[in-house]
Amino acid sequence: MTRFRASVPLTATWKNFDFAVEGPVATVTLSRPEKLNPLTFESYADLRDLIAELPHHRGVKVLVIQGAGRGFCGGGDVNEIIGELIKMKAGELMQFTKMTGDVIRAMRECPIPIIVRIQGIAAGAGAVIALAADFRIVGRSGRFAFLFTKVGLSGGDMGAAYLLPRVVGLGRATQLLMLGDTIDAETADRYGLVSQLVDDELLDESVAALAHRLATGPSLALSQTKSLLTRELEMSLSAAMELDAMTQALLMTTDDHAEFHAAFNAQRPPAWKGQ
């Protein structure tokens, strides 16, 4: 425990998905493969809380989110969530929709890079979780479906109408969110939704390689870059330039920046410390 965590302990057990830490890489595995890893009230809440805790895990520098079995995540469980929502009053419904949005907000505000590993379907909330990640490594079996309108709801769920146009452009986002059609991995790649498209048998290797690259990189510089990418979406150019200048000046005082200079002159790879 550190002074930045004080009295509150880290959660020892997560009941609604598998969680493991191996060296600097933490992995969340959605683990209901028989139903394509649907989300429930409890798994939404656990994801929100885990991602908020993750920066306090000493040594963790990367988060991987994946699904067990033949799909990534089929979205919210039809009976365990939708069946219950139609019984709820407005106050409870607002609690639920704010909780799901809090998962996406936590992902974007988490200073740790997040990789999503996708095989098979990423639908509904699963597609938005993939969208909110920093990197999407997608197998050729991968498919995306922002299918909210197909269940009679707005396509702008969980921040999708905010994030998707910024990733694929307004025209493609309009098509995906209004029609709710399923697109295959090659189409998603062409739209700009995929960070890296690989054969399914290379998914583990590709995710591990990217996770290692991020984990052994200049973590403070990476976290600040992620923060700027998120914060500057809503800023004017002048405000963004000011924030860039302040951030860069701060990073120029770090050990990692000095280490680059020393490594360059010694003709060796930098030994990043993240400080």
Side-chain angles (χ1 to χ4, degrees), residues 4 17 19 28 60 71 91 112-113 115 142 146 164 169 177 204 222 234 239 273:
F4 303 112
F17 45 69
F19 178 68
V28 165
V60 170
I112 294 171
I115 303 169
F146 296 88
L164 193 59
L177 295 182
D204 288 340
L222 295 174
E234 299 179 280
K273 299 178 181 177

Side-chain angles (χ1 to χ4, degrees), residues 3 10 45 52 56 72 77 91-92 95 104 138 161 168 179 192 206 262:
R3 67 185 68 186
L10 295 173
H56 300 282
F72 171 63
D77 189 287
E92 289 179 298
Q95 283 185 293
I104 303 306
V138 182
V168 303
L179 300 180
S206 300

Side-chain angles (χ1 to χ4, degrees), residues 123-143:
V128 186
I129 287 172
L131 174 65
D134 302 296
F135 299 93
R136 287 163 291 280
I137 308 298
V138 182
R140 295 191 184 278
S141 69
R143 292 169 291 137

Side-chain angles (χ1 to χ4, degrees), residues 41-259:
F41 292 100
E42 294 79 13
S43 58
Y44 275 119
D46 272 359
L47 273 174
R48 174 201 61 199
D49 296 343
L50 169 64
I51 294 167
E53 280 192 9
L54 202 61
H56 300 282
H57 282 259
R58 286 185 174 181
V60 170
K61 296 185 176 181
V62 182
L63 172 64
V64 174
I65 303 177
Q66 61 185 11
R70 59 192 175 89
F72 171 63
C73 175
D77 189 287
V78 172
N79 290 318
E80 291 185 42
I81 287 189
I82 297 177
E84 292 300 312
L85 293 177
I86 60 178
K87 305 174 187 177
M88 291 182 181
K89 301 298 184 183
E92 289 179 298
L93 292 171
M94 285 295 291
Q95 283 185 293
F96 171 72
T97 54
K98 287 183 177 180
M99 176 176 69
T100 63
D102 284 343
V103 174
I104 303 306
R105 184 183 300 110
M107 290 179 67
R108 292 310 312 151
E109 294 184 350
C110 180
I112 294 171
I114 300 174
I115 303 169
V116 167
R117 175 197 184 279
I118 296 174
Q119 81 289 358
I121 192 67
V128 186
I129 287 172
L131 174 65
D134 302 296
F135 299 93
R136 287 163 291 280
I137 308 298
V138 182
R140 295 191 184 278
S141 69
R143 292 169 291 137
F144 292 83
F146 296 88
L147 44 66
F148 304 105
T149 59
K150 290 194 170 183
V151 299
L153 298 175
S154 165
D157 193 49
M158 297 169 64
Y162 177 88
L163 290 172
L164 193 59
R166 290 164 166 82
V167 174
V168 303
L170 179 60
R172 294 298 191 194
T174 301
Q175 175 185 343
L176 292 172
L177 295 182
M178 290 191 70
L179 300 180
D181 292 338
T182 300
I183 58 171
D184 60 23
E186 286 74 16
T187 303
D189 188 31
R190 190 171 73 251
Y191 286 4
L193 191 53
V194 174
S195 304
Q196 186 178 352
L197 180 62
V198 301
D199 293 335
D200 279 27
E201 56 268 26
L202 297 177
L203 267 171
D204 288 340
E205 176 184 331
S206 300
V207 169
L210 178 57
H212 176 75
R213 179 176 178 180
L214 292 167
T216 58
S219 55
L220 188 58
L222 295 174
S223 68
Q224 290 304 305
T225 301
K226 176 175 179 175
S227 178
L228 293 178
L229 285 167
T230 299
R231 302 298 179 193
E232 292 183 13
L233 289 173
E234 299 179 280
M235 288 185 177
S236 66
L237 176 60
S238 60
M241 295 291 286
E242 181 71 13
L243 184 56
D244 283 353
M246 294 169 62
T247 302
Q248 209 70 308
L250 176 63
L251 290 174
M252 287 173 182
T253 70
T254 62
D255 292 345
D256 276 353
H257 186 56
E259 167 61 12

